[in-house]
Structures are given as structure tokens and as C-alpha cells.
Amino acid sequence: MTDITQTVIPGVELDKTEYKAREDALRLRLLDLQKQLAVSKKSLLILMNGVEGSGKGETVKKLLEWMDARGIETTAFWTQASEEREYPPLWRFWHKLPLRGHIGIFFGSWYTEPILDRVFRRSDKKDFTESLEKIRKLENMLTAEGVILVKFWMHLTPKSQKELMKAAEKKVATRWRISKITKKFADKRQRFHKVDVAMLAATHTGRAPWSIIDARYPRYREIHAGELLAKKLEAQLGQASPLPEYTGTWSPAPENIFRRLDYTQKLSDAEYKVRFEKCADEIARLSDKISTSKTSLVLVFEGADAAGKGGAIRRVTHAMDPRHYRVNAFAAPNDVEKGHPYLWRFWQCIPSQGKIFIYDRSWYGRVLVERIEHFCTDSEWQRAYGEINDFEKSLHDSQTLIRKFYLTITPEEQLERFKDRK
């Protein structure tokens, strides 16, 4: 395993004069880039991660001083709260993704819990590897969707971390920063270093590389972070062409499965009534059972216009307690939704534990109507298959049952129904 922290450029102590000169130039540079970002089709997400006591907070404070704080939202992610644990782990991060033209800064991030779980042996190597693979897929999707992702890692060797902590404890002005949790983490600094190195090596990718900064010297750390951010923005905002096209292994279905369906099947009114009442009783019983469990249920209804999605949903919900379910109907995305990655609006409305969410059209619009109407490029809808699978796996891994129904009718029957509606 390669230790990429060994490649970090050693920091130097900057004197006040040099710091001030570089700071003044950097402020103007960042403000200009922020204005360019505001009118672009991209957003900026800064992940501020690193060793405990490495100055992450002070660095973000400086970045906010140098830029216009309007249009920047800073979020600190600690251990998941009880409400957040009722959703997939990525849910809380999707809620805070910046709108197009805006900037988001995450203290901690989707890296925090996998690292802590591995350090304190709440997960094994296999779990850790799987978590990092999910992160790589997420970051690939975000960058492909126009998110400029800047990942900072404030680095200290275990020896430097120990020396800085001792120095901080001696000063009244900084002693308060050495909390119980800081000391707890410091006691495992060697273990943290080993896990951090493994994480950095696995997630230092071409689309989302790490910027690792020697954090021993505050002035150097701040200036270096600001200049790296400016360089990344200049490169991304100056791109005349889109990101590389999708190069996965998507291939069309081998056959048209609709041709195998028997469109002549019917039920008499009497048989329909008997079977419907039996199903309704069972739906009522099972939906009540879900409401008191740690499981949630997602029902997806897709299909052709006039195929009966609305009618099917009404009959399913007929038997349910209204307090247990919610129906989400999706049409074309609005301006806010268009300003985020396409899955963002679906992450906003996924069920917590004990709830049933029903979707009248869904995330499959990306590979259906959006593909047909050319609302997305070939590359975008082709890679969406893998992204949708990853999204549904996130739900499944968080004890969400997923059932998907595709309603179809013949073209002749669809035309007749359109005529009846007219």
C-alpha cells in the first residue's frame, strides 16, 4: 500500500510580510473565481478533513474571510444523530449539497464514520473497503454532474501531532481546544495514521484527488490551501469541454420483454371484488406491521402514459392508514432541482424507519423520458444505470424494502384510452 502522505511537500514557516503579500493577491483571485462560479453551471464542494488538531477550523475561517460568505454554506458533520440513523448514511450529505453557482464546505464528511469505525474496530477490513468503494462511486457521480470537488487533508505525522498538542496544553489561549475526545483520538494516533493512509490511497482518484497539506505551520497551511483551491477552480472553470464521457460497459437489454406478456388477461367484476378485498386486508395488516418496525418500504410505479399507475396507487393506498404512507409524484425537475445532481431531489424524499413511500414516476425518468426527449446526453443516461443501482443499494442496506412495478399496455389500447380521455 502506497503512503501518499510521504509525497507531501514539506511546509515552511512564512514571515508576516510574505504572508500578507500572498494573502492580498489570493483574496482578489478567489473573489474573482467565486464570481465566475456564480454564473457557471457548476458548484463547489470543499471537504475539510485531516488529523485531529491540524487546524481545519482555522483554515476554513480564513477561506471564508477571503471569499464572499454569501453563497457559501458550512456544515459540520459529527456522529449521526438518532434521526439521521433512520436514513441511509449518505442521506445527510445529499441534503447539504450546494446549488449550482454556490459553495458548500463540509467539516468531516462521508469519510469520518468509516475511519472512526475502522480505528475503533467497529468494522473489519472488508467493511472498510466496501465503504470506500461506495465513496468512490459517489464522488465519480458528483464530479460527472458538475460538482467541483476539492478534498483537503490536513496532515500531521503522529510525532508532530503529539508535539503540537503538548504546546497547545501549555497555553491558556489554546488549552480549551484539548477536549476529552481530542485526547481519546490522540491516544490512538498511530492507529489513526495507519487507517488514514489506507483511506487516502484508496480514494485518491483522477476525478477526485486529495490535496494533502503539511499542517505544522499555520500561515503556510492557510496560504497553501487557498492557492490550491484557486488553482483547482481556475482549471475547472476554464474547461471548454465537458468531463470525459462515460466509458462503462452499458449494453441494451437482449430482448423486448413486453412481447412475452399476455395482454388478453382479464378479471370479472365479481372475481376482482373478492381478490381486491382479500389483498386490501393483507395490505392493511402488513403496513401496520411496518409502521412499528425499523424497516421502511419503497413502492415504485413506472410505465407508459394511461397504463393505470394512478389507479393502481389509489387501490394500494385504499387499505393503508394515511399516517403510514406518503405518495410522491414526480414531473419535470424545477429550477432548484436542475441546479443539483439529478438524484438530489429523490434523496430529499426517502422514507425513514417505519414509513412507506410510494413513487408515481421516479429516478428511472433519467433512462426513460429524459433519454427519449434528449434532456440528458447519451453519456449521462448510460452511466445512470449504475448510479441508480448504487442508490437503490444504499436504500436496501439501510433496511428499506424496494418493490418496483412497471405497468404497460399495447399501443392500440393506449390510443383508445387517450381518445376516451379527450
Side-chain angles (χ1 to χ4, degrees):
M1 178 179 60
T2 303
D3 182 354
I4 64 173
T5 64
Q6 297 295 323
T7 65
V8 177
I9 299 172
V12 294
E13 185 65 270
L14 299 179
D15 61 43
K16 292 183 179 180
T17 303
E18 181 182 357
Y19 177 82
K20 184 67 169 60
R22 291 173 69 175
E23 180 186 33
D24 290 343
L26 183 56
R27 179 185 288 112
L28 294 175
R29 189 177 168 194
L30 286 172
L31 284 171
D32 179 62
L33 288 166
Q34 189 176 0
K35 290 178 182 177
Q36 293 180 42
L37 177 72
V39 296
S40 74
K41 293 184 177 181
K42 298 183 178 183
S43 61
L44 170 64
L45 179 59
I46 302 171
L47 305 186
M48 185 57 70
N49 300 273
V51 176
E52 193 70 22
S54 59
K56 298 183 291 291
E58 290 84 351
T59 304
V60 169
K61 184 178 178 182
K62 272 297 175 184
L63 292 176
L64 291 173
E65 285 180 17
W66 294 336
M67 295 187 287
D68 188 340
R70 294 169 296 180
I72 304 177
E73 182 178 4
T74 302
T75 308
F77 293 100
W78 310 114
T79 303
Q80 285 181 298
S82 57
E83 177 191 3
E84 292 172 336
R85 290 192 177 279
E86 295 187 8
Y87 295 93
L90 293 177
W91 174 80
R92 57 181 181 156
F93 304 113
W94 275 92
H95 267 252
K96 292 296 183 180
L97 287 182
L99 182 66
R100 182 182 297 162
H102 290 66
I103 300 172
I105 302 176
F106 287 0
F107 273 110
S109 62
W110 36 77
Y111 288 102
T112 303
E113 290 213 17
I115 289 174
L116 293 178
D117 287 344
R118 188 71 184 117
V119 167
F120 291 99
R121 304 184 190 282
R122 297 190 292 260
S123 67
D124 58 21
K125 186 176 181 179
K126 180 174 179 290
D127 294 330
F128 186 56
T129 301
E130 289 178 354
S131 295
L132 299 183
E133 175 61 21
K134 290 178 182 177
I135 288 172
R136 282 197 298 270
K137 289 181 177 180
L138 169 66
E139 293 179 346
N140 282 341
M141 180 197 177
L142 293 180
T143 54
E145 287 286 303
V147 177
I148 301 173
L149 188 60
V150 178
K151 303 192 300 186
F152 285 125
W153 184 265
M154 298 302 165
H155 176 64
L156 292 172
T157 64
K159 180 181 178 181
S160 296
Q161 184 186 19
K162 185 176 182 179
E163 292 172 351
L164 288 172
M165 185 172 289
K166 283 184 177 180
E169 285 182 305
K170 291 179 180 179
K171 298 178 182 178
V172 176
T174 54
R175 190 179 301 153
W176 62 272
R177 293 179 180 172
I178 313 301
S179 63
K180 289 183 179 179
I181 191 72
T182 302
K183 291 179 179 179
K184 180 181 178 181
F185 286 0
D187 289 341
K188 289 186 174 290
R189 59 174 64 90
Q190 294 292 346
R191 173 72 176 165
F192 264 105
H193 179 73
K194 181 179 179 180
V195 173
D196 292 343
V197 166
M199 180 278 294
L200 291 167
T203 56
H204 183 64
T205 66
R207 279 187 176 271
W210 281 101
S211 295
I212 305 176
I213 297 174
D214 184 348
R216 288 176 298 168
Y217 308 107
R219 292 178 192 145
Y220 170 83
R221 179 192 66 222
E222 293 164 3
I223 290 293
H224 194 37
E227 291 177 344
L228 285 172
L229 174 59
K231 185 178 180 180
K232 177 83 173 198
L233 280 172
E234 286 167 346
Q236 290 288 315
L237 294 174
Q239 280 187 348
S241 58
L243 288 165
E245 289 291 286
Y246 171 81
T247 56
T249 56
W250 173 86
S251 59
E255 62 175 320
N256 185 342
I257 62 173
F258 297 131
R259 290 173 182 164
R260 301 205 308 262
L261 297 178
D262 181 358
Y263 290 96
T264 65
Q265 294 185 93
K266 293 183 179 180
L267 289 180
S268 67
D269 290 346
E271 185 180 2
Y272 168 81
K273 183 177 180 180
V274 171
R275 291 176 65 175
F276 176 74
E277 289 178 355
K278 183 179 179 180
C279 287
D281 290 342
E282 189 73 352
I283 289 172
R285 182 182 70 81
L286 292 173
S287 61
D288 277 345
K289 188 175 181 180
I290 284 177
S291 70
T292 58
S293 73
K294 291 186 177 181
T295 299
S296 57
L297 173 63
V298 161
L299 302 177
V300 177
F301 286 83
E302 286 285 359
D305 288 337
K309 295 184 294 298
I313 290 170
R314 284 195 299 274
R315 284 156 183 77
V316 169
T317 57
H318 167 80
M320 293 182 184
D321 186 324
R323 292 169 293 187
H324 298 162
Y325 74 87
R326 168 177 156 185
V327 177
N328 301 288
F330 288 97
N334 59 35
D335 289 343
V336 173
E337 292 166 342
K338 288 178 182 177
H340 290 91
Y342 74 95
L343 282 176
W344 177 84
R345 62 175 177 157
F346 303 110
W347 275 101
Q348 307 308 301
C349 52
I350 59 176
S352 58
Q353 292 175 359
K355 296 297 182 183
I356 300 170
F357 276 23
I358 301 169
Y359 299 84
D360 183 352
R361 299 201 182 280
S362 67
W363 37 92
Y364 285 96
R366 190 66 159 185
V367 295
L368 295 171
V369 66
E370 292 184 33
R371 170 186 174 182
I372 293 168
E373 298 292 342
H374 302 292
F375 294 150
C376 57
T377 66
D378 287 350
S379 175
E380 287 171 335
W381 66 255
Q382 287 172 11
R383 64 177 168 80
Y385 287 105
E387 293 163 354
I388 288 170
N389 285 337
D390 293 336
F391 170 60
E392 291 180 344
K393 188 175 188 304
S394 293
L395 299 181
H396 172 269
D397 291 347
S398 298
Q399 300 188 61
T400 298
L401 301 175
I402 305 170
R403 295 295 179 266
K404 301 180 288 190
F405 303 92
Y406 193 96
L407 280 64
T408 184
I409 51 177
T410 64
E412 294 77 17
E413 176 65 22
Q414 185 183 44
L415 181 58
E416 287 302 314
R417 293 185 183 185
F418 284 157
K419 288 179 179 178
D420 289 343
R421 289 183 179 184
K422 186 176 179 181

